[in-house]
Amino acid sequence: MQQSEGTSSDMVLGLEPRGGAPASIGPAADDWRPADRPAASGHTVQFYEDDDFLDDSVARFLGAGLVAGEPLVVIGTRARGEALCRRLEASSFDVERARAAGELTLVDARAVLATIMKGGLPDEAAFREVVGGCLERAGAGRPGGRVRVYGEMVDLLCQAGHHEAALRLESWWNALADARPFRLLCAYRLDGFGRSEHAGPFGRVCDAHERALPAEGYSALDDPRAASREVARLQQRARALEAEVERRERLERELARALAGGEAVATERAQLSEQARAAARLKDEFLATVSHELRTPLNAILGWARVLRAGAVPGDKVGRALETIERNALAQARLVDDLLDASRLVSGKLRLDVRPLALAPIVEAALASLGPALEAKGLGLERAIDPAVGPVLGDPDRLQQAVWNLASNAIKFTPKGGRVRLGLARDDASARLSVSDSGQGIAPHQLSAVFERFMQADVGSGRAHGGLGLGLALTRHLVELHGGTVEAQSEGEGKGATFVVRLPLA
């Protein structure tokens, strides 16, 4: 094999010669009449589905060049070079004589790509040096210097999924054509454009060539009428495929929405399940609390009753025993009343005896009933009550119950030696009642939950403070039934708390 001067040996395909070279290269021009597929000028692309069809088309393109006396450069794979040589020989061309005379140069496309690719894309300077140099040597000393080229590099890139690299290489071919005359045939296997997202690259490939030739499904039709019918069928198939793509995309969007909805349902179910578990825990805690709160005064009542019945109490202590029994009975009655009131609120059966009234006497009456509790804990009480506030429309017993709940709550959570402050004043068109303490305060995350039923700062039988967790919930409902509002304020744990009630003035 004779190698073109300056061409790298690892790029030129080393195909073994087949016997001696005849005097002539091939048949006369009159005996070789290539069909107008592919074009013999400019930059043409041939799409194909089968290798045999492509080999026939490229061999026809190369044979026309040999007849016209144009040097040939085939930049392809070894298998492609062997197939093209066999087809040219079958058409009575002397391939070995053409190669020996420098009329046919076979170059390894993969080796060229390995040389010119940098960072996943072809480098223009390397392309001009390697490919341009090859064309320069092939056309040296030829009349007009025109070369006929078949390039398989773009097809290899496309089949590997590197469409952008193939398009970049096509642009370098077009730029090279501005500097030297050559006829170029490229080919692309249609399988490389088999998905809908390949429509863009396919159109750009067509735009990069002067002429685009369809694959064998259309090119093999010699009858113009059959070709027209095939074009119409292809258009119908394209329209149907577009409609199918749109339908599938719509189904994918609907499926995505359905999946998102399913996730939302699953999330909601998980939240409901967690709420149910929390409610179950709250119920268990409440039942334990009710049991403890009812049993504590009952134990005191039963204990002192048994002692009195046994006559084991000295006469001077009988009054104290009866006082203890009465106090615990009242505490138990208050617990039962709270439970009944909570039930009435839930069922909507709580009724109010509404009348015009002054708030100051109601506040004083609630404080009077809490005097012993204040003294027992050694708490100081600050009053700031404006007797002129009012009147309001309300139920005196229920309003006194609300004030008592707030004040007893402040006493409960204030340590010995602390202070409780109660204020009543007019605030625009409302009466403003505030109850403050210097107790343990409320954590920020609990402020919004203190008015919920059964809400407790501590739970279980070992709790530091008694109660059912209904007092503040009942207070909120009673205040709202009177058209007012109640809110809790606290700067944090250990910094006390303030509850503010606002009732509309009559």
Side-chain angles (χ1 to χ4, degrees):
M1 183 191 81
Q2 180 174 327
Q3 181 176 307
S4 299
E5 182 180 355
T7 305
S8 175
S9 60
D10 61 346
M11 294 186 182
V12 177
L13 294 177
L15 303 180
E16 293 299 329
R18 302 172 183 270
S24 61
I25 293 177
D30 291 341
D31 299 328
W32 180 252
R33 299 180 178 85
D36 193 22
R37 299 192 300 260
S41 62
H43 189 182
T44 302
V45 59
Q46 172 71 69
F47 296 103
Y48 71 99
E49 298 172 354
D50 181 77
D51 284 325
D52 287 338
F53 169 80
L54 176 64
D55 291 341
D56 287 340
S57 182
V58 176
R60 189 181 299 276
F61 171 73
L62 297 176
L66 288 175
V67 170
E70 297 175 348
L72 308 180
V73 176
V74 175
I75 306 177
T77 61
R78 177 178 292 272
R80 185 74 65 201
E82 292 177 346
L84 293 175
C85 288
R86 288 195 297 271
R87 276 169 170 72
L88 290 173
E89 290 173 347
S91 299
S92 302
F93 286 103
D94 190 341
V95 173
E96 295 304 329
R97 176 64 178 271
R99 294 178 64 190
E103 295 288 342
L104 173 61
T105 302
L106 302 176
V107 183
D108 189 345
R110 298 186 189 279
V112 175
L113 285 174
T115 303
I116 67 173
M117 296 294 289
K118 295 181 181 180
L121 291 173
D123 178 75
E124 184 177 13
F127 175 82
R128 285 183 174 276
E129 179 182 354
V130 176
V131 178
C134 182
L135 271 58
E136 180 74 28
R137 288 186 292 273
R142 307 292 177 178
R146 183 180 293 276
V147 180
R148 188 173 290 234
V149 186
Y150 166 69
E152 195 173 359
M153 294 184 293
V154 290
D155 194 16
L156 295 175
L157 289 171
C158 188
Q159 290 185 42
H162 305 312
H163 296 90
E164 188 60 36
L167 288 165
R168 184 76 61 89
L169 198 60
E170 294 285 16
S171 69
W172 299 153
W173 274 115
N174 289 331
L176 190 62
D178 295 335
R180 68 168 43 257
F182 62 84
R183 295 182 177 92
L184 172 63
L185 173 64
C186 299
Y188 287 87
R189 185 182 291 274
L190 279 180
D191 292 346
F193 302 94
R195 298 197 298 270
S196 59
E197 60 265 28
H198 293 157
F202 184 83
R204 293 170 62 192
V205 166
C206 293
D207 292 340
H209 296 82
E210 294 180 19
R211 188 175 184 186
L213 301 179
E216 52 267 40
Y218 177 80
S219 298
L221 299 175
D222 295 326
D223 184 356
R225 290 174 297 180
S228 298
R229 288 193 296 269
E230 182 64 20
V231 169
R233 280 194 291 267
L234 291 173
Q235 288 177 330
Q236 185 275 330
R237 288 179 59 190
R239 186 63 56 85
L241 287 173
E242 290 175 356
E244 177 65 17
V245 169
E246 292 178 358
R247 186 185 71 85
R248 293 190 179 188
E249 290 177 348
R250 183 178 67 255
L251 291 176
E252 289 176 358
R253 291 193 296 270
E254 293 175 355
L255 178 60
R257 286 195 294 269
L259 291 175
E263 292 176 358
V265 170
T267 301
E268 183 178 359
R269 287 180 177 176
Q271 292 174 346
L272 292 175
S273 178
E274 178 57 32
Q275 291 173 3
R277 288 192 293 269
R281 289 194 300 268
L282 189 63
K283 180 193 69 175
D284 295 340
E285 293 169 359
F286 172 69
L287 291 176
T289 300
V290 169
S291 175
H292 172 75
E293 292 296 325
L294 292 178
R295 188 183 298 112
T296 299
L298 183 60
N299 288 339
I301 293 171
L302 289 175
W304 280 106
R306 287 169 182 166
V307 172
L308 288 173
R309 187 174 183 181
V313 180
D316 59 340
K317 294 185 177 180
V318 171
R320 179 186 173 190
L322 293 175
E323 181 183 346
T324 301
I325 290 174
E326 183 181 8
R327 184 174 66 253
N328 282 279
L330 289 174
Q332 191 173 61
R334 190 173 296 111
L335 293 174
V336 173
D337 287 342
D338 284 348
L339 289 171
L340 292 175
D341 286 342
S343 176
R344 293 188 188 104
L345 285 171
V346 172
S347 61
K349 295 181 180 180
L350 186 65
R351 297 291 181 264
L352 299 180
D353 182 12
V354 178
R355 69 190 72 169
L357 51 87
L359 280 176
I362 292 175
V363 174
E364 293 289 356
L367 289 177
S369 65
L370 290 169
L374 288 167
E375 294 177 4
K377 295 189 70 174
L379 301 179
L381 176 64
E382 296 180 9
R383 287 184 174 89
I385 300 174
D386 182 0
V389 174
V392 299
L393 291 177
D395 185 322
D397 294 333
R398 292 302 183 183
L399 287 177
Q400 183 174 336
Q401 180 182 1
V403 177
W404 188 93
N405 283 341
L406 292 175
S408 64
N409 187 75
I411 295 171
K412 180 192 303 184
F413 290 100
T414 301
K416 290 185 177 182
R419 302 192 66 78
V420 174
R421 183 181 185 281
L422 196 146
L424 176 63
R426 179 168 181 151
D427 185 4
D428 293 332
S430 301
R432 183 181 185 276
L433 172 69
S434 62
V435 180
S436 303
D437 62 69
S438 59
Q440 69 184 45
I442 305 172
H445 68 276
Q446 289 184 323
L447 279 174
S448 61
V450 294
F451 294 105
E452 295 180 5
R453 284 180 296 160
F454 315 131
M455 177 62 185
Q456 293 278 0
D458 51 358
V459 295
S461 60
R463 297 180 305 133
H465 308 286
L468 299 177
L470 290 174
L472 293 179
L474 288 171
T475 298
R476 184 192 66 180
H477 285 295
L478 290 173
V479 170
E480 290 177 350
L481 286 174
H482 285 81
T485 61
V486 59
E487 63 175 331
Q489 303 170 355
S490 178
E491 296 182 0
E493 297 184 17
K495 297 183 178 181
T498 299
F499 291 83
V500 179
V501 175
R502 288 183 174 83
L503 295 170
L505 295 172

